[in-house]
Amino acid sequence: MIEARRLHILRAVADHRTLTAAAAALYLTPSAVSQQLTALEQETGHRLVERGAKGVRLTPAGEILLGHTNAVLAQLERAEAELAAYSSGAAGTVTVASFATGIALVVAPALARLAASAPGIRLRVQDAEGDASLPMVLDRQVDIAVAVEYRGAPAADDPRLTHVPLYAEPFDAVVPVTHRLADADEVPLAELAKDAWIGPYPGNPCHDVVVLACEHAGFRPCLEHSSDDFRAVVALASADAGVALVPRSALRGMDLTGVVVRPVDGVAPTRRVFAAVRRGAEGHPLIRPVLEALGEAGEAAG
């Protein structure tokens, strides 16, 4: 592992051409500079400088490392500048991964709230299903996930994550206008046991909600058609290809020609949406305002 402080010394030697001048610039002794260069050569496995009567010069290997040194040290400077802004919570970027409906329902409103309340915080949004967004948080690819509870998901007390509940919404039954239950006020799921079904692919958290709801009603749905896009699911239902359960918010503004939407009789299947961050990060001066804005948007959505 190459130490950044030794890269500082390498660049100082390249700039000043003598160990003495480089040492003076770095407030070190020439002996300390020489020792650090020797250590850097041992770390890289290459001879980096040549000493002569007129001073020192970089070897070809040293020139290669110097090119990388400039890029590394510039990036460290940018990191220090951003950390200085972070310390006041005034500026920075927070990356949020969310499924599409969550983006529309809470992430976009949160972004608008932050523009007024914390203009220095910039959100970078990525579309990702809940089963993908949580690993992205754990792998440090994103800062926050807006996800859905699903079978196999990290539990709310998982020591790696902090969960912030946002909202819960029911799934409604979507059936063709020609369906035998189209005129019913509510649809008993057990009455759909022999129907063809349309739903999300396995792995999508909504797939688990649908399957578990049907299992609780005493059957396993026959999924004839699969799509993670609820517009496609509704379009297939309108073509009399089957029946479906769709989150209520996903139906907003959708063309429902050819289908009827009915609440489920009894306890409706529900998807519970939450935000998740790496445990301990919830107090970060940039992340905390985003979680608060998401929470406010979630209250409005619920």
Side-chain angles (χ1 to χ4, degrees):
M1 180 69 67
I2 298 174
E3 291 190 15
R5 64 191 179 94
R6 289 175 180 151
L7 295 179
H8 279 284
I9 291 172
L10 179 69
R11 187 161 73 177
V13 169
D15 289 342
H16 296 282
R17 302 292 181 180
T18 70
L19 296 184
T20 301
L26 297 170
Y27 300 99
L28 297 172
T29 65
S31 174
V33 168
S34 180
Q35 290 172 5
Q36 291 300 315
L37 284 176
T38 299
L40 184 59
E41 289 177 331
Q42 291 173 346
E43 287 174 346
T44 61
H46 292 278
R47 186 179 181 187
L48 302 174
V49 298
E50 291 181 348
R51 296 166 174 81
K54 296 183 179 180
V56 296
R57 65 181 183 86
L58 299 187
T59 64
E63 293 288 353
I64 291 172
L65 183 58
L66 180 64
H68 291 286
T69 294
N70 291 330
V72 169
L73 296 183
Q75 188 61 39
L76 287 174
E77 292 286 352
R78 286 190 286 270
E80 290 176 2
E82 290 188 19
L83 286 171
Y86 284 168
S87 65
S88 65
T93 299
V94 176
T95 305
V96 180
S98 172
F99 58 99
T101 308
I103 291 174
L105 212 56
V106 293
V107 178
L111 191 153
R113 291 170 188 265
L114 288 167
S117 63
I121 298 177
R122 183 169 70 94
L123 287 191
R124 179 179 295 129
V125 181
Q126 298 183 21
D127 189 336
E129 292 297 338
D131 59 322
S133 63
L134 292 175
M136 291 169 72
V137 168
L138 292 171
D139 291 340
R140 307 187 71 84
Q141 297 174 15
V142 300
D143 301 304
I144 300 174
V146 174
V148 178
E149 291 181 3
Y150 62 95
R151 186 160 39 187
D157 61 353
D158 189 297
R160 301 170 298 171
L161 296 168
T162 294
H163 284 217
V164 178
L166 297 180
Y167 66 93
E169 64 173 326
F171 281 58
D172 289 326
V174 177
V175 301
V177 293
T178 57
H179 194 274
R180 63 189 181 280
L181 296 177
D183 294 329
D185 292 332
E186 295 181 332
V187 173
L189 285 184
E191 296 295 320
L192 303 177
K194 295 183 179 180
D195 284 82
W197 279 74
I198 312 157
Y201 284 100
N204 185 315
C206 289
H207 174 90
D208 286 345
V209 174
V210 171
V211 172
L212 285 173
C214 293
E215 288 177 348
H216 288 158
F219 69 98
R220 188 167 183 86
C222 177
L223 285 165
E224 292 285 347
H225 311 283
S226 298
S227 175
D228 288 334
D229 186 335
F230 286 116
R231 290 170 300 180
V233 170
V234 170
L236 287 168
S238 70
D240 204 15
V243 299
L245 289 174
V246 178
R248 187 165 292 172
S249 65
L251 294 168
R252 294 176 185 174
M254 194 180 294
D255 182 5
L256 299 176
T257 303
V259 299
V260 295
V261 178
R262 296 288 184 264
V264 173
D265 183 32
V267 179
T270 301
R271 72 171 172 182
R272 292 173 173 80
V273 180
F274 62 93
V277 298
R278 291 179 295 277
R279 189 171 291 271
E282 63 275 8
H284 191 287
L286 290 179
I287 291 176
R288 185 178 62 252
V290 178
L291 291 176
E292 291 172 353
L294 288 169
E296 293 169 1
E299 289 180 5

